[in-house]
Amino acid sequence: LSGRGDLYTNHWAVRIAGGAQQADRIAAKYGFRNLGQIGSLEDQYHFHHSRVVRRTAFSLKGLHSFIHMDPKVDWAQQQVVKTRVKR
Amino acid sequence: HASFSDPNAIHFNDPKWSNMWYIHCNNKNSRCRSEMNILAAWQRGYTGKNVVVTILDDGIERNHPDLAQNYDPVASYDVNGNDHDPTPRYDTRSENIHGTRCAGEVAAAANNSHCIVGIAYNAHIGGIRMLDGDVTDIVEAKSLGIRPDYIHIYSASWGPKDDGKTVDGPGLLTKQAFEQGIRKGRKGLGSIFVWASGNGGRQGDHCSCDGYTSSIYTISISSTTENGNKPWYLEVCSSIMATTYSSGEYNERRIVTTDARQRCTDAHTGTSVSAPIVAGIIALALEANRLLTWRDVQHLVVKTSRPVHLKAEDWKTNAAGHRVSHHYGFGLVDADAMVLEATKWRTVPPQHTCSQIAELHTRHIFAGQSLNSSLTTSGCSGDTEQHVGYLEHVVAKVLIVHPRRGDLEMNLISPSGTRSQLLAKRVYDSSNEGFRNWEFMTVHFWGERPEGMWTLEIIDSPSKLRNPEVLANLKEWTIILYGTSQNPQQHYSAQQSQSRMLVVPSPELILEEPEVQEEEEEEKEEEEYTGLCHSECGDQGCDGPDADHCLNCAHFSLGSLKSGRTCVSHCPPGHYGDIVSHRCKRCYKGCDQCVGRSAGDCLSCQRGLYLNTLNSSCINTCPLGHFADEDQRQCLKCHETCTMCLRYADRCTSCSEGYSLAGMTCVPECTNGTFFHLEEMTCSPCHSSCRTCTGLGKEDCIQCAKGYLQQEWRCVQTCASGYYAGEAAGLPHKICHRCEDNCLCCSGPGPTCTKCKAGYSLISRTCIVNASCNNADEVFCEMVKSNRLCERTFYSQFCCRTCLMNG
C-alpha cells in the first residue's frame, strides 16, 4: 500500500436514527447489506455493498452513492484502508 | 505457589524463566536489571487474578500451551473474520505472529514447564483479531468497543506508518469508541488503553504524528535497552508516559515471550514489547484496587515511574517536581510501587477541561525564522465546572498552512517555564497539507499550575530550497488544558505520610523501650521554694510554680530526670498511667493508647497502624478477612461473604466459598441458569436460551443452554438463514457462522451454498448475481466461459449467469 493515495473499500459507516429496522430499510434501498451496529456506538451502522468493487483507488459512483443524500441518513462515510504497522 | 520470602529463591520451572533478566536477578554473572520490580509486586500477592486483558492485533494462538490456561473466549473476537475465534491465520511468511507474542508477555501461565511467565500470570487473556485484513475506521472502532464491561485493559502495539511523512490517527468512529470506552467502560470507571509509542523501525519520524499515542485516553509506552540506552528504533515525543525494557543492540539481552506455532521466541522487539508489559503491570494494580479509574491509573503511572539509569540528554524536572523526558516520559515503570500505591489510592478529583483560542497578531512564518504566539489563561478559574488548577494532559490544536510540513519544529512553553517539544523536524515529510487542527499532546506539564502565559514557538528551517513567495501561515491554535481544580498532590501527600508511617525504617529509632530508661533515673534535691505549687503537684510540695517543679505528683509523672520530668493529670498518647508508680509509661511500640506495656495491651494505634482486635496489638497490615478502618485505626472484620476486603467491610476483593465477586460485592454463586440480580439481591433465572448469563435479557447469555446455538450475541435454537451451525473452540455450545455473501442456506464455510438470495443464482455452490447484462456480447462471454471466470466471485459481475444460461 505504500506510496499511493487512499484505497476505497465496499464498506460504509452510516449514522441513521430510528433503530435497526430503519437502517435495514435504507440499506436495502441502495443495495447495501446492514451488518449491524458498530460496537456500542449508537445509531452507527456497518453497511456492505457487494456490487461495489472491494478495493479501488478512487470512490466509485453509482446508485449506492445516493445514500449520502438520503434525508434519513445523518452521516455516511465510505471506508478507506488505513495502513497500520506493528511496533 | 513458590515461596516468596526470599525473592532470589523464587524459581519457576518454565524453561525460559532464567532468561527473564528483566524480572529477577538469578543470573549472578550479569548485571541485575529488575528495577521494574515485578517480582516484588508478585511478592505482595498480586498476579492479575480476575483481571481481563485483551490484545488488539493479528490474532492470538489460544491453544498455545502457555496461553491456553488463561485464555478467555469472552474477551476475544475476530473482527476480520466476523466470528468468535481469534486464532491467527497461519501462512508461510508467518505474518500473523505478533498478537501471540504480545499476549504471552501479559499472561503466559507460570510454573507449567512451558516457555515463560507472564507479568500478570493469573490474568485472563483474550485476543481481538483485527489487523489481518483491511483496517478501516469501522474495524478499529469495533475492536476498541468489544465488551467494555467485561474487558478491563486493551493493549495495542500498532499504529500509522512511521515513514516520517505520515500524520494519521483514529478516525471519527474510533475516536467515538475511545470516548465511549472511557465514559462507560468498566461500569463507568473507564476502559484502560495501553499503546506502544510510535516507533516502527524507520528513521526521521516523530511520534507526535501518531494520533493514537497522542490521545489523552491512551497510555503511551516507550522502550529502553538493558543498559538504559535509547534503542535505535525509538521515536521521541511529548506524549510518552512511561518506559519498559525492550530489545536493544546485538549485545544486549532481549525479552522472551510465546510465539505462534506453540513456540517461544526472543525476537519480539521494539515498543511492541513495552505496551503488553505495562498492560500486565496495570493488571496487577487493578487487582490491588478494582476501583481505579482510567485517570487514577495514569496518575499512578506518573507518580511511580522514575528515571533510574535511563540515559537521555533531555531529562528535566517540571514545576511540579516530576522528572520527564521526550524519550522515556516519566521513566521506568515500577510494578511494586504501582500496586502499593493502588492499595491506598483515593480517586483523583474529577477531570476538568479548559480550552482557549489564541489571538493571533502575526500569522506568517518566514522560512529560516521562528514565530512565537502566546496566550494568557487563568485556567478557566471563573467557571467552577471548567477550572483547571493542576494540569494533567495539555493539547495544542494547530491549524497551519505550509508548503513543506516537514520543515517545522514546534515547542510549547508553560507559565512555569517548562519547555516541551511538540514536533521535531521531519526531513522526509514534504507534504504541503500543513496541519489541519492536528492535536499535539504533551504530558510534560503534569502537576503544574496552568495560570499565566503559554507560548507556542514555531521554527521553520527548510531542509530544501522553497519558493519564497509561498508563505507559511499559522491560521489558528487552541490550547486545551486537562486537569483538576483541586490539588491531587494533597491527596497523594496524605497517603504519602501514611505510607511513610507504614514503612517505618527502624522502629528502634523512634520508640525506645520504657523500662530501661526509667530505672536509671535518680531524683535530686532542689533549694527551698515558698510560693504556690502547680495543681498537679502532690502532697510533698514543690520547688517552683510549674508542674515540673513538683516533688511528687497528684496524678502521674511524665518524662525522666534526664529529659525533664513533669506532673500531668493524664498521660499523653503512646503512654499509659501506671497506678502503682503514678508514672506515665510508654505503651508497646505502635500503640497510641494502652492499658499496659505489653503488645496485647493496646486500645488504639498510632497513625498508619491498625489495632488487631484478635490480640490487641498494632500492625500495619490487617490479617486475612479483615480490613484497615482508617477512622478507627482498627482491623475490622470483612463482611461474612468476603475473605478479603478493602477499606470497607463490604468492599470485597475475594469471596468466601459459595460466593463470587460482582464488582466489589460478593454475591451468591448462582447455579447454572441463574444470575445474581443485584437489585433484587437474589439469583434470578437467565433467559431460557442461556446456560449462564450476566442478566435477564437474551443478549446477556455467556454460554447457551442445551440445544441452543450462539448467533452474534444471542442464543437461538436454529441458525437464521444465512448462517450454518459449527463448532466453537473453547465453548460448550455450537455457534452460527455466517454463510458466504448472498447465500441463504449453506452447510459450512466456503462455497457450500444450497440456496441464494433473490437476485442471485446458485452456480457451483456459490451465489452469482443474476442481473441480466444485455450489453455482454458473444465474444466477451466466450472469453469469460473459456477462462472459467464464473467460478471466481470477483468476475461474477460480468453476467456469467446469462452466458451460462445461453449454454
Side-chain angles (χ1 to χ4, degrees):
Chain A
L1 297 176
S2 60
R4 44 155 211 87
D6 283 345
L7 203 54
Y8 292 87
T9 71
N10 56 1
H11 292 261
W12 266 258
V14 188
R15 187 167 62 232
I16 297 173
Q21 284 183 348
Q22 173 78 305
D24 286 340
R25 272 196 296 278
I26 291 175
K29 185 175 170 185
Y30 299 101
F32 287 94
R33 189 157 66 97
N34 181 8
L35 297 183
Q37 184 171 289
I38 299 174
S40 49
L41 301 183
E42 252 174 279
D43 295 339
Q44 301 275 23
Y45 295 94
H46 179 182
F47 283 7
H48 172 245
H49 201 298
S50 59
R51 294 178 60 185
V52 173
V53 177
R54 203 155 66 90
R55 281 185 172 188
T56 58
F58 44 85
S59 174
L60 279 176
K61 298 301 173 230
L63 274 179
H64 63 274
S65 307
F66 292 112
I67 193 168
H68 291 268
M69 290 177 264
D70 190 295
K72 290 191 178 60
V73 173
D74 297 337
W75 174 83
Q77 182 191 62
Q78 182 174 11
Q79 293 297 286
V80 291
V81 176
K82 293 172 175 281
T83 305
R84 292 292 173 260
V85 293
K86 295 162 187 172
R87 296 299 188 213
Chain B
H1 284 286
S3 74
F4 281 131
S5 54
D6 167 13
N8 292 320
I10 292 176
H11 184 76
F12 288 124
N13 65 13
D14 303 84
K16 295 292 180 190
W17 169 253
S18 59
N19 301 86
M20 300 183 81
W21 53 275
Y22 42 94
I23 291 191
H24 60 73
C25 302
N26 291 358
N27 184 346
K28 292 286 172 279
N29 53 24
S30 57
R31 192 179 310 168
C32 179
R33 281 283 169 244
S34 59
E35 296 93 338
M36 295 197 293
N37 291 330
I38 293 164
L39 211 60
W42 291 351
Q43 216 171 7
R44 295 183 188 277
Y46 300 111
T47 56
K49 292 181 286 299
N50 294 327
V51 179
V52 183
V53 182
T54 196
I55 306 290
L56 275 70
D57 212 291
D58 55 17
I60 172 178
E61 191 169 275
R62 56 184 168 65
N63 57 3
H64 188 293
D66 227 3
L67 294 176
Q69 177 183 321
N70 289 335
Y71 173 70
D72 184 340
V74 182
S76 302
Y77 194 72
D78 180 350
V79 175
N80 293 141
N82 218 4
D83 60 48
H84 287 274
D85 180 358
T87 301
R89 177 177 56 85
Y90 295 95
D91 58 5
T92 51
R93 289 180 300 153
S94 295
E95 277 176 8
N96 300 304
I97 54 175
H98 198 253
T100 299
R101 291 179 171 190
C102 292
E105 291 180 67
V106 176
N111 231 20
N112 64 348
S113 330
H114 284 288
C115 202
I116 63 160
V117 178
I119 307 290
Y121 59 83
N122 278 331
H124 292 226
I125 186 71
I128 295 178
R129 181 169 174 265
M130 46 78 68
L131 286 181
D132 187 20
D134 286 346
V135 179
T136 64
D137 193 15
I138 288 182
V139 166
E140 291 181 0
K142 278 189 176 180
S143 306
L144 288 167
I146 288 189
R147 292 209 192 244
D149 273 342
Y150 183 76
I151 296 171
H152 301 122
I153 304 168
Y154 299 77
S155 174
S157 296
W158 48 267
K161 278 190 288 188
D162 64 318
D163 54 11
K165 50 188 172 184
T166 299
V167 175
D168 191 12
L172 185 75
L173 295 170
T174 305
K175 279 183 182 171
Q176 286 177 22
F178 270 128
E179 285 155 9
Q180 184 116 329
I182 290 296
R183 247 198 346 268
K184 295 184 177 176
R186 288 195 304 140
K187 297 195 172 41
L189 292 175
S191 300
I192 310 289
F193 300 109
V194 183
W195 226 271
S197 79
N199 85 315
R202 288 186 280 180
Q203 303 294 325
D205 201 1
H206 193 269
C207 47
S208 59
C209 297
D210 171 345
Y212 300 86
T213 57
S214 298
S215 161
I216 70 166
Y217 303 129
T218 61
I219 299 172
S220 171
I221 302 298
S222 179
S223 302
T224 188
T225 71
E226 175 191 3
N227 296 314
N229 295 322
K230 169 184 175 300
W232 60 271
Y233 50 78
L234 195 68
E235 289 173 19
V236 299
C237 65
S238 57
S239 58
I240 293 173
M241 286 205 93
T243 301
T244 77
Y245 287 119
S246 181
S247 55
E249 301 305 323
Y250 69 89
N251 58 350
E252 292 179 291
R253 292 181 286 183
R254 310 174 113 218
I255 307 295
V256 266
T257 184
T258 51
D259 203 354
R261 294 185 174 86
Q262 319 217 340
R263 292 173 302 171
C264 295
T265 179
D266 65 354
H268 198 38
T269 61
T271 52
S272 283
V273 163
S274 298
I277 288 180
V278 170
I281 288 174
I282 292 174
L284 304 183
L286 282 187
E287 182 188 358
N289 183 347
R290 285 311 182 88
L291 298 179
L292 293 174
T293 65
W294 67 281
R295 288 183 40 248
D296 287 335
V297 171
Q298 295 204 13
H299 273 267
L300 272 175
V301 169
V302 169
K303 177 175 165 69
T304 57
S305 304
R306 68 279 186 245
V308 284
H309 64 292
L310 273 57
K311 305 180 191 65
E313 71 285 347
D314 72 325
W315 279 113
K316 59 181 179 287
T317 304
N318 77 4
H322 292 299
R323 298 281 290 158
V324 69
S325 135
H326 292 82
H327 294 73
Y328 303 122
F330 295 95
L332 197 67
V333 289
D334 183 340
D336 186 42
M338 280 271 287
V339 298
L340 186 60
E341 291 298 334
T343 54
K344 313 170 286 182
W345 195 258
R346 202 168 298 149
T347 299
V348 291
Q351 182 193 55
H352 285 185
T353 307
C354 169
S355 57
Q356 189 164 327
I357 295 181
E359 282 172 39
L360 296 179
H361 305 297
T362 55
R363 293 165 178 275
H364 292 302
I365 309 170
F366 295 98
Q369 296 181 20
S370 67
L371 166 73
N372 280 1
S373 171
S374 298
L375 63 83
T376 301
T377 179
S378 67
C380 297
S381 55
D383 180 337
T384 52
E385 292 301 309
Q386 291 183 334
H387 174 225
V388 173
Y390 298 83
L391 287 169
E392 292 170 0
H393 312 82
V394 174
V395 169
K397 190 161 76 169
V398 179
L399 175 57
I400 284 185
V401 172
H402 196 284
R404 189 170 194 290
R405 183 170 65 189
D407 291 349
L408 289 175
E409 176 191 344
M410 277 191 280
N411 300 299
L412 184 64
I413 297 102
S414 73
S416 311
T418 306
R419 185 185 187 81
S420 178
Q421 184 190 54
L422 302 184
L423 173 71
K425 259 188 77 172
R426 300 197 307 162
V427 292
Y428 300 126
D429 188 354
S430 54
S431 156
N432 60 7
E433 289 176 16
F435 288 101
R436 295 183 202 145
N437 288 322
W438 183 256
E439 297 195 0
F440 294 92
M441 190 271 274
T442 176
V443 293
H444 289 188
F445 309 118
W446 199 280
E448 289 190 356
R449 307 298 300 264
E451 300 88 343
M453 189 169 75
W454 290 80
T455 301
L456 178 67
E457 179 189 69
I458 303 175
I459 303 164
D460 187 352
S461 42
S463 48
K464 289 175 187 158
L465 269 183
R466 281 186 357 219
N467 175 355
E469 287 172 20
V470 179
L471 280 185
N473 209 332
L474 171 62
K475 291 275 186 196
E476 182 185 287
W477 78 279
T478 306
I479 195 164
I480 306 168
L481 307 170
Y482 296 94
T484 57
S485 60
Q486 304 148 356
N487 181 357
Q489 279 301 330
Q490 269 155 15
H491 166 79
Y492 284 168
S493 54
Q495 292 171 350
Q496 199 81 44
S497 61
Q498 257 185 355
S499 63
R500 233 189 322 271
M501 284 305 284
L502 274 175
V503 185
V504 175
S506 55
E508 291 67 24
L509 273 180
I510 294 182
L511 299 171
E512 295 96 353
E513 282 308 314
E515 302 86 325
V516 167
Q517 251 177 338
E518 281 175 284
E519 266 127 4
E520 289 159 26
E521 311 313 317
E522 292 309 294
E523 283 184 286
K524 289 199 189 77
E525 285 309 319
E526 305 290 335
E527 75 235 16
E528 232 14 71
Y529 167 76
T530 55
L532 277 180
C533 290
H534 187 277
S535 61
E536 281 300 323
C537 296
D539 53 2
Q540 292 182 16
C542 62
D543 56 13
D546 298 329
D548 55 356
H549 292 128
C550 304
L551 299 182
N552 71 337
C553 297
H555 294 101
F556 299 105
S557 67
L558 173 66
S560 65
L561 275 180
K562 201 182 327 170
S563 58
R565 177 176 289 180
T566 182
C567 290
V568 291
S569 57
H570 57 284
C571 296
H575 295 73
Y576 70 96
D578 181 21
I579 304 297
V580 171
S581 63
H582 286 286
R583 287 197 179 156
C584 291
K585 293 188 176 178
R586 287 185 186 280
C587 299
Y588 187 73
K589 64 184 176 202
C591 288
D592 196 32
Q593 284 160 0
C594 64
V595 292
R597 71 180 70 209
S598 66
D601 292 332
C602 292
L603 294 176
S604 73
C605 299
Q606 288 177 1
R607 180 180 289 279
L609 298 173
Y610 306 95
L611 185 66
N612 181 353
T613 47
L614 299 174
N615 58 14
S616 296
S617 62
C618 288
I619 50 175
N620 56 10
T621 309
C622 293
L624 203 61
H626 291 73
F627 72 94
D629 179 87
E630 297 299 337
D631 301 330
Q632 301 175 56
R633 292 200 205 132
Q634 275 196 19
C635 295
L636 299 180
K637 260 181 91 47
C638 297
H639 189 273
E640 82 258 352
T641 58
C642 302
T643 52
M644 286 173 69
C645 58
L646 198 58
R647 235 174 279 139
Y648 299 97
D650 58 354
R651 286 270 180 97
C652 310
T653 55
S654 81
C655 297
S656 314
E657 194 68 32
Y659 289 86
S660 60
L661 208 53
M664 291 202 78
T665 309
C666 286
V667 298
E669 271 171 357
C670 299
T671 53
N672 270 0
T674 63
F675 73 97
F676 189 70
H677 201 302
L678 270 178
E679 278 87 35
E680 294 168 13
M681 294 304 280
T682 57
C683 289
S684 302
C686 301
H687 184 268
S688 57
S689 64
C690 307
R691 177 168 177 226
T692 57
C693 67
T694 56
L696 276 176
K698 283 182 289 191
E699 299 81 28
D700 295 325
C701 297
I702 293 181
Q703 291 174 353
C704 296
K706 204 171 173 27
Y708 281 83
L709 308 120
Q710 182 171 340
Q711 179 170 318
E712 302 294 337
W713 308 99
R714 291 174 184 211
C715 294
V716 296
Q717 287 181 298
T718 55
C719 294
S721 74
Y723 289 84
Y724 67 91
E727 291 303 325
L731 291 175
H733 50 262
K734 286 190 173 182
I735 277 192
C736 297
H737 298 277
R738 211 182 276 275
C739 298
E740 260 195 350
D741 279 354
N742 312 312
C743 172
L744 285 180
C745 286
C746 67
S747 57
T752 58
C753 194
T754 55
K755 185 183 175 207
C756 293
K757 278 190 183 148
Y760 291 83
S761 301
L762 189 62
I763 297 184
S764 51
R765 286 178 293 105
T766 193
C767 295
I768 305 288
V769 67
N770 59 8
S772 60
C773 171
N774 55 20
N775 61 356
D777 60 21
E778 282 308 313
V779 170
F780 192 74
C781 284
E782 277 312 307
M783 180 275 285
V784 166
K785 211 172 82 174
S786 61
N787 288 285
R788 299 178 61 194
L789 296 185
C790 290
E791 290 174 22
R792 298 179 58 187
T793 314
F794 180 71
Y795 291 102
S796 62
Q797 296 175 6
F798 292 99
C799 314
C800 289
R801 176 169 167 65
T802 310
C803 301
L804 271 181
M805 281 172 76
N806 291 336

